[in-house]
Amino acid sequence: MSSFMNTRRLIKRIQAPVIWAVAIMFGAGVIWWSVASYLGGRGDGDFTPEPELTLAETVAVLTKDGEQLDDAIFWVSFREYETAVREALDNIRQQGMSVDPYFGTEQVPGEMEVRYEVVKDLMNQRILRYYAQQEGVLPSSAQIEAETKRIVDEFTADPNTRTQILQFYGSVDAFSEVVKRFVTSELLVMNTIEKALGDVEAAFAGYFEENKESLKKEYERVSAGHILLDTEEEALELKDRIEAGEVGFADAAMEYSEDAGSAAQGGDLGSFGRGQMIPEFEEAAFNASIGEIVGPVESYYGYHLIQVSSMSTFDTVEELHEMGLYTDLLNDFRQRKFVDWFEDYKVAGGFGYELNDEDLMLYDRYTDAKTDPEKTEELLKELTAMIFHEDDEHTVAILDSYLPTVVFVQLANSRLNRYDSTIYDLEDAIYYYETVPETLRELAKDEIEEQLAVIPEMEDQEEDDMELKYSREDLENALDLKEIEVRLDISSEEDARNMLEMKLTAETQLEDQFKRVVRYLYGDLPFSSTVLEYMYMIERDNPEVVVRYHENSYNKNLSPIISNRETFQMYLQYYEQFLGQQAVAFLLDMPIRNMEEDLLGIVVNDPDVPRDLRVTALYLLIEVYERLANLFPDSAIARVHLLTQKHYLEKLDDIIPGDEG
């Protein structure tokens, strides 16, 4: 499934709204990855190959058992591929996101990643075509035309939607072509599901019975209120008064409940699922009748009176229907079954693909190398020979594409991180060889663990007073050494020193090459966020790099958070769930302090730095503090921010005196 998952998390952000509506209208059979494959386009929206298409005009060809398939419906032309890529990139940009030509982020893929995912999606579709052709379930032209017409007619019947379509697509005919491509893909998937998976509803019924408890825990909900009291007698007395009509449940909660948080809401706890409340409370709530006052229920906190206002529980498939959960759960089940089947089918069928584009071929190797150290080493050697000249220690070769240098810096950075980890291990190993008693080092790992296990854990017992042959520290260090020896395949201090020397030499050489390529990319791709981050990593004392890096970081990360008070509160509430009172420090204090220290220490306060850089740095700091002041209007902290802004305005006036701006 991993081939589909790499960028699937982005689909909701990059899919055109009308297409999502098409998916909904098309019906419950929509499969998540086939919607995603809209990223790749659909050629002409049917299974007729382009006239006189030759292998030389293809970007990819489906293979089976290592052999190319000679039927052109299993080929992807450059025209189809480029159309698909353009649509994918347009969809991303229409959401207000910029796309780096090569480097992606967690939020937005780079163009090269989009291109690679598009071609893989198109090849996955070709595998489905193969199955459908073999099984006689390829969608017919009549099926495709009828379903396309149904959807288009339904959309254009509403004047507002028709207007939106005309604005977005230019004409109904253009919209029809998009729908046709979508329908073609969906019918292919749905026909395949029906043939390959058989009676999915019957299989789901069995799955439901086998997994009922976990499903209940995930989906059952209760809305309830409670009144918490100190003693059972108080609870019984209050329950009698409520049932007699002397006081309402909500009023009683506000007056008598010991749970101050819910008391203010009339005892209301909102909606909760299984596993969210203490067990005795949960059992009572889920077994109560709506409106009934249950209790007193004893818990660690006291005695609860509980009143359930609504309940969504189930024990049968029929009850899932009544709750409106059946369709969603069935679709989730169908998706998982289909993806599992498809992955097995690809492996069993020996399917693969051959690429006819050099950048795609390199990116394909790169994706494999990222998770395989041996492939990383092999690819780095090839790229090194391609990028660096033996007689030139300062520059890199000018190639037809930036991709080799991009892949090199990505792999080199990963390899340098691994070098650091290995070097730390080797330095620790040398220290252990020098300090851990030789007799202890000669023991087996399980013997060391046995000796560690007999050391009492009681805090009041001093280890020095115990009659032990080895200290806890020596035993723990010996155990660490054993693990390093296995991890690095060493057995002596000499091995560790030799390997350390070799790794340090290799690291120094790779680090030099990494810096050379980063500087080259910075010269040609200076506004790439990733290139800026790499450049900042290697030249943190370069004023121009520092200013550009912090400008980019501010615009990308900090500016959206402090753009207005409402947005900031939204971010704050989210991060408070995980960081509590440290959320403000994480969101504002730390990034602003780091920016301020860099810009002041390296740029603003250095009179030798060009004036335009110092001015740019000050403008950035002035904007930051103006926005911070707006986040906390009419407060002491706002006044502090405004005073800081005034301080930077005065510095700016010193640099460009008399400037009215």
Side-chain angles (χ1 to χ4, degrees):
M1 190 169 67
S2 60
S3 62
F4 298 122
M5 291 297 288
N6 289 339
T7 57
R8 297 294 73 82
R9 63 187 181 276
L10 298 162
I11 296 167
K12 289 185 180 179
R13 291 200 290 274
I14 62 181
Q15 200 66 42
V18 173
I19 289 299
W20 279 107
V22 171
I24 294 168
M25 186 173 289
F26 190 76
V30 173
I31 301 302
W32 63 273
W33 71 260
S34 71
V35 178
S37 67
Y38 172 71
L39 287 173
R42 291 293 166 269
D44 293 327
D46 57 26
F47 304 112
T48 304
E50 296 176 27
E52 301 178 2
L53 179 65
T54 66
L55 283 171
E57 297 168 319
T58 62
V59 69
V61 175
L62 186 65
T63 64
K64 191 174 190 308
D65 300 321
E67 298 293 327
Q68 291 183 344
L69 297 181
D70 56 10
D71 189 334
I73 72 165
F74 305 123
W75 304 352
V76 176
S77 70
F78 275 98
R79 184 180 71 85
E80 179 185 3
Y81 165 70
E82 288 296 342
T83 298
V85 170
R86 184 179 65 250
E87 289 179 347
L89 294 174
D90 285 347
N91 281 330
I92 296 174
R93 290 169 181 138
Q94 283 162 6
Q95 304 305 311
M97 294 181 281
S98 60
V99 182
D100 188 292
Y102 295 102
F103 296 97
T105 67
E106 289 185 4
Q107 292 75 34
V108 186
E111 181 177 332
M112 197 62 229
E113 184 181 359
V114 171
R115 288 180 170 276
Y116 182 65
E117 289 301 321
V118 162
V119 81
K120 287 205 302 180
D121 283 338
L122 291 171
M123 294 317 299
N124 281 328
Q125 190 192 74
R126 267 54 180 183
I127 296 171
L128 277 188
R129 288 184 184 185
Y130 183 92
Y131 175 85
Q133 186 186 68
Q134 296 295 306
E135 298 296 328
V137 293
L138 267 178
S140 67
S141 296
Q143 268 186 301
I144 294 169
E145 293 296 339
E147 190 60 34
T148 299
K149 184 177 185 305
R150 180 184 74 81
I151 291 174
V152 171
D153 287 349
E154 248 183 281
F155 269 101
T156 54
D158 178 72
N160 292 330
T161 307
R162 182 185 179 90
T163 299
Q164 183 185 3
I165 287 169
L166 293 174
Q167 290 175 343
F168 195 86
Y169 295 98
S171 69
V172 173
D173 287 343
F175 175 65
S176 297
E177 286 303 308
V178 174
V179 173
K180 184 179 180 181
R181 294 199 299 269
F182 178 84
V183 165
T184 301
S185 177
E186 289 306 317
L187 284 173
L188 175 63
V189 173
M190 293 173 69
N191 289 359
T192 301
I193 286 175
E194 187 175 344
K195 182 70 177 180
L197 301 187
D199 192 342
V200 176
E201 293 202 43
F204 175 72
Y207 167 81
F208 173 80
E209 292 299 331
E210 292 174 7
N211 298 273
K212 187 184 296 184
E213 291 307 312
S214 62
L215 290 170
K216 287 168 73 70
K217 184 173 182 179
E218 185 172 357
Y219 293 102
E220 287 192 332
R221 310 287 299 176
V222 162
S223 293
H226 86 134
I227 303 172
L228 178 64
L229 297 158
D230 289 331
T231 67
E232 185 176 16
E233 291 75 21
E234 289 176 312
L236 286 169
E237 181 182 345
L238 186 56
K239 181 180 181 182
D240 289 340
R241 290 180 59 199
I242 295 171
E243 291 178 337
E246 295 179 20
V247 62
F249 188 90
D251 291 336
M254 286 190 280
E255 185 171 353
Y256 300 110
S257 182
E258 297 294 332
D259 179 5
S262 67
Q265 309 301 320
D268 185 23
L269 296 170
S271 175
F272 54 89
R274 292 188 181 274
Q276 292 181 252
M277 298 293 182
I278 52 177
E280 52 268 45
F281 189 99
E282 175 188 309
E283 182 180 1
F286 275 92
N287 287 310
S289 298
I290 294 176
E292 174 190 7
I293 297 175
V294 177
V297 176
E298 184 179 5
S299 78
Y300 169 81
Y301 300 99
Y303 293 85
H304 307 263
L305 297 178
I306 304 169
Q307 186 176 51
V308 172
S309 56
S310 67
M311 183 180 297
S312 300
T313 60
F314 54 84
D315 286 295
T316 66
V317 170
E318 289 71 23
E319 289 173 338
L320 283 182
H321 275 288
E322 294 171 8
M323 292 174 59
L325 285 173
Y326 180 79
T327 299
D328 287 343
L329 291 179
L330 176 65
N331 282 339
D332 288 344
F333 176 75
R334 182 188 283 114
Q335 287 177 204
R336 293 195 301 271
K337 291 278 288 184
F338 178 71
V339 170
D340 290 344
W341 169 83
F342 186 61
E343 290 299 315
D344 291 342
Y345 178 72
K346 285 198 296 184
V347 173
F351 291 103
Y353 52 80
E354 291 184 6
L355 299 168
N356 297 328
D357 177 86
E358 289 188 4
D359 275 1
L360 284 173
M361 286 189 282
L362 176 56
Y363 201 86
D364 190 49
R365 292 187 63 194
Y366 167 60
T367 56
D368 282 344
K370 283 193 294 186
T371 56
D372 187 323
E374 290 185 7
K375 290 181 179 179
T376 295
E377 189 67 32
E378 179 184 348
L379 186 52
L380 273 174
K381 285 181 180 178
E382 291 183 29
L383 293 172
T384 298
M386 185 187 306
I387 294 170
F388 303 104
H389 297 300
E390 290 184 7
D391 57 349
D392 187 345
E393 298 181 356
H394 304 290
T395 62
V396 300
I398 305 300
L399 306 173
D400 293 335
S401 166
Y402 288 112
L403 189 61
T405 51
V406 168
V407 169
F408 178 86
V409 294
Q410 299 278 59
L411 292 179
N413 184 55
S414 176
R415 172 51 59 89
L416 287 169
N417 289 334
R418 286 202 294 274
Y419 274 146
D420 286 342
S421 177
T422 302
I423 288 168
Y424 294 149
D425 275 350
L426 290 167
E427 289 173 341
D428 286 345
I430 292 169
Y431 172 75
Y432 296 150
Y433 281 125
E434 292 175 342
T435 58
V436 174
E438 184 176 355
T439 52
L440 177 54
R441 286 191 272 114
E442 291 173 351
L443 297 179
K445 181 181 177 182
D446 57 349
E447 293 176 305
I448 299 172
E449 289 174 335
E450 287 175 7
Q451 292 207 33
L452 262 175
V454 303
I455 297 178
E457 296 293 335
M458 294 181 297
E459 294 182 357
D460 59 347
Q461 186 168 359
E462 296 289 339
E463 290 184 11
D464 293 340
D465 296 336
M466 295 184 290
E467 295 182 3
L468 293 171
K469 187 173 182 181
Y470 304 110
S471 69
R472 179 191 296 276
E473 181 181 0
D474 281 344
L475 289 165
E476 290 175 344
N477 289 348
L479 198 58
D480 285 345
L481 178 59
K482 292 291 181 185
E483 292 172 353
I484 293 172
E485 287 178 333
V486 171
R487 190 158 57 242
L488 301 183
D489 192 25
I490 59 175
S491 58
S492 67
E493 182 178 349
E494 183 180 3
D495 287 347
R497 291 189 179 279
N498 289 339
M499 182 178 287
L500 178 61
E501 183 179 356
M502 180 184 68
K503 294 293 182 184
L504 286 171
T505 300
E507 181 184 45
T508 300
Q509 181 182 20
L510 185 59
E511 192 174 67
D512 175 67
Q513 293 170 337
F514 173 79
K515 290 177 178 179
R516 285 160 63 185
V517 175
V518 168
R519 292 186 178 108
Y520 162 73
L521 289 173
Y522 179 72
D524 283 18
L525 305 172
F527 300 106
S528 165
S529 294
T530 304
V531 172
L532 276 172
E533 288 168 9
Y534 284 147
M535 195 65 182
Y536 178 72
M537 185 192 308
I538 66 174
E539 291 196 11
R540 293 193 63 170
D541 57 350
N542 182 326
E544 178 190 284
V545 171
V546 168
V547 170
R548 283 190 173 182
Y549 169 79
H550 283 294
E551 272 189 316
N552 179 75
S553 180
Y554 169 74
N555 291 328
K556 187 173 69 172
N557 301 319
L558 188 58
S559 179
I561 296 174
I562 62 175
S563 58
N564 58 69
R565 184 169 176 79
E566 291 73 22
T567 303
F568 172 68
Q569 289 299 326
M570 181 186 70
Y571 274 96
L572 187 60
Q573 288 172 10
Y574 176 78
Y575 281 98
E576 280 179 339
Q577 300 175 74
F578 312 102
L579 302 174
Q581 294 181 345
Q582 298 301 312
V584 173
F586 175 80
L587 287 171
L588 299 183
D589 297 345
M590 289 188 292
I592 291 172
R593 183 169 62 250
N594 291 339
M595 177 195 299
E596 209 164 13
E597 287 177 357
D598 265 3
L599 293 178
L600 292 177
I602 299 171
V603 183
V604 174
N605 294 335
D606 185 346
D608 295 328
V609 171
R611 188 177 74 165
D612 60 335
L613 286 177
R614 298 168 68 199
V615 168
T616 300
L618 281 169
Y619 270 126
L620 182 55
L621 291 172
I622 288 164
E623 179 176 332
V624 168
Y625 278 97
E626 181 171 354
R627 288 196 175 188
L628 289 177
N630 291 334
L631 292 182
F632 310 98
D634 303 321
S635 68
I637 193 169
R639 288 192 290 275
V640 172
H641 292 322
L642 289 171
L643 284 171
T644 306
Q645 183 192 27
K646 179 174 180 289
H647 170 69
Y648 290 135
L649 284 166
E650 289 169 347
K651 278 183 170 289
L652 187 62
D653 189 53
D654 289 340
I655 298 173
I656 46 174
D659 188 291
E660 293 182 1

